[in-house]
Amino acid sequence: MTSAKHHLPAGTATGDGPYAVDVTPGRAGWRYSSLRILTLLPGGSHTFPTGDSEWIVLPLSGGCTVATDSGETFELHGRDSVFAAVTDFAYLPRDARATVTSPAGGRFALTGARCERRLPARYGPASGVPVELRGTGNCSRQVNNFAAAGVFACDRLIAVEVLTPGGNWSSYPPHKHDEHRPGLESELEEIYYFEIAGGDTGLGYQRVSPSRERGTDVLAEVRSGDAVLIPDGWHGPSMAAPGHDMYYLNVMAGPGAEREWLICDHPDHAWIRGTWPEQPVDPRLPLYPAREEPIREEPARQEPAQGEAR
């Protein structure tokens, strides 16, 4: 059932540049969403043009300096790993050049989206990242909403981090956002990038099922460094194997006039939400707390009930 087109195991999506993962709209066969994973040795640096896309530089491990050709410089403290702490980040506009330098080395996600507006380059502090707990029981997960709609201003890019304790399911109930229905559902392309605790033995599973005839159909065993492309379909669950906490980075963008994340739950499984008030949140969460009280940069556009599935 796994589609080689949509499941990209670690090492298979490197492209022509210095990236461990390099997903472009052209490679994915869609219009907007991009993801690059950049590894720098101690003292290493990498310069790249932003082109027709806006980008966020997000440390996965280690810290870095991000400098633009317009003279802005952002020092990112970063973190030891995605399982250790919330991180700060840097936003880069389209039509610019940026250099990422890491004195001690590290790994950095570049989350991108083709866009029209050129917003200013700026720093995103870790203290401004809302840390949210969603679901209860074995559906409990943690969401770091660093670039969610309504939290950090971008033109089209939406990006969040999800942490799922070993044995739990996230992205559940399965949901979709593959058609424009005003006030109900957004049309968004999505990339999932995974890291699994436990080294080489860590694993999890990702399901995507068709929402239309001949739609995306994936059941993949995922390990650290894997990516899954979701142009359409019901996505979820994301299953963390017992003993192996799961991290994934979600990168989304789409053609809508409004930057919003509106989802539709799978009708066969939406009932599970009704069981959540009867159960406690997994006591293992949060895996780590927010740094400080979240700072919101723009008003939320989605209805609260729409923001609970990931």
Side-chain angles (χ1 to χ4, degrees), residues 46-265:
H46 174 62
T47 300
F48 67 99
T50 61
D52 60 1
S53 297
E54 58 187 347
W55 296 87
I56 284 178
V57 180
L58 181 80
L60 299 175
S61 63
C64 65
T65 300
V66 180
T68 73
D69 57 352
S70 298
E72 299 98 344
T73 300
F74 307 108
E75 298 290 341
L76 302 188
H77 175 75
R79 53 190 169 183
D80 291 338
S81 80
V82 296
F83 298 104
V86 175
T87 186
D88 50 359
F89 57 94
Y91 173 89
L92 302 172
R94 60 168 292 163
D95 301 318
R97 289 182 67 83
T99 299
V100 181
T101 304
S102 181
R107 293 183 306 108
F108 309 94
L110 311 181
T111 66
R114 281 179 175 161
C115 64
E116 291 74 41
R117 291 190 299 155
R118 193 175 192 272
L119 302 181
R122 60 200 186 280
Y123 175 74
S127 62
V129 177
V131 172
E132 176 187 357
L133 302 185
R134 292 185 185 162
T136 62
N138 60 1
C139 291
S140 301
R141 59 271 203 179
Q142 174 177 336
V143 185
N144 300 337
N145 288 301
F146 71 95
V151 171
F152 186 85
C154 301
D155 187 24
R156 294 196 178 275
L157 177 64
I158 298 172
V160 302
E161 301 178 302
V162 181
L163 296 121
T164 308
N168 284 9
W169 285 18
S170 55
S171 282
Y172 196 75
H175 60 283
K176 74 181 185 77
H177 41 67
D178 58 14
E179 56 183 318
H180 175 63
R181 296 188 297 149
L184 296 175
E185 184 178 349
S186 310
E187 182 182 351
L188 296 168
E189 310 154 351
E190 184 160 18
I191 304 166
Y192 276 50
Y193 168 76
F194 293 90
E195 299 206 353
I196 312 294
D200 294 340
T201 63
L203 77 161
Y205 293 88
Q206 176 67 42
R207 180 74 173 111
V208 185
S209 54
S211 61
R212 61 189 72 176
E213 186 177 356
R214 301 180 67 184
T216 302
D217 196 351
V218 176
L219 176 57
E221 181 178 292
V222 292
R223 296 176 180 268
S224 290
D226 286 15
V228 173
L229 309 183
I230 306 176
D232 55 64
W234 304 103
H235 36 296
S238 303
M239 297 165 274
H244 297 285
D245 294 341
M246 170 188 281
Y247 164 94
Y248 53 86
L249 171 63
N250 290 132
V251 182
M252 294 168 276
E258 295 293 324
R259 177 178 170 250
E260 54 188 355
W261 182 65
L262 301 177
I263 64 169
C264 176
D265 284 339

Side-chain angles (χ1 to χ4, degrees), residues 278-290:
E278 304 166 4
Q279 305 174 71
V281 173
D282 190 315
R284 294 174 290 178
L285 292 174
L287 294 186
Y288 45 78

